[in-house]
Amino acid sequence: LVVQPLQCYEHPNAKRGMSAFPQVLCWETTEHSIMLACGAIVGALFLVPFVAACVWAMYRAPNLEGVQLLRWRFLVYRFRPEKWYWGIVFLFRQLLFAFSST
C-alpha cells in the first residue's frame, strides 16, 4: 500500500500508469494524489513507528530480561546472544525487499 502509487510503468502514449491500477495515470490524476497521500499516512503512522520501536528495542537488547525480551524475541531469537544486533540488520533487509520494485 505504501509503495504501490510509486510503481508506475510507461504507456505507449508516453504517459505513466500505476502497475496495480493501469487506468490511474501517475502524477497526473487526483486518484494518484489520493493514493500517494494514503501511502504516506500509512507509512508515517505504522511503518515508521514500528521500525523506530524495533531499533530502540535492539539498542536496549543486551539489557532486556523477562517479559520485555519475550516481546522482542522475533528480532533476537535466531542469533547468538553476543550477536543480538543482527536482528535489526535483517529487519532493514526485509524492509528493502518490501520496497523494491517488481
Side-chain angles (χ1 to χ4, degrees), residues 1 7 9 16 28 33 35 45-47 57 61-62 65 71:
L1 179 65
Q7 295 175 338
Y9 70 96
R16 298 180 59 82
E28 295 182 18
S33 300
M35 289 181 179
L45 294 180
F46 295 104
L47 184 66
E65 293 180 359
R71 180 179 299 146

Side-chain angles (χ1 to χ4, degrees), residues 18-76:
M18 283 182 54
S19 297
F21 305 102
Q23 70 275 14
V24 177
L25 297 177
C26 292
W27 313 109
E28 295 182 18
T29 60
T30 57
E31 291 91 0
H32 187 253
S33 300
I34 292 170
M35 289 181 179
L36 280 171
C38 289
I41 290 169
V42 168
L45 294 180
F46 295 104
L47 184 66
V48 172
F50 175 74
V51 171
C54 289
V55 169
W56 175 80
M58 292 310 297
Y59 176 73
R60 297 201 50 220
N63 302 324
L64 294 179
E65 293 180 359
V67 175
Q68 287 184 340
L69 186 59
L70 287 175
R71 180 179 299 146
W72 300 105
R73 71 180 175 265
F74 70 95
L75 290 171
V76 294

Side-chain angles (χ1 to χ4, degrees), residues 8 10 54 59 62 67 86 90 95:
C8 301
E10 194 163 341
C54 289
Y59 176 73
V67 175
W86 277 99
F90 274 66
L95 192 64

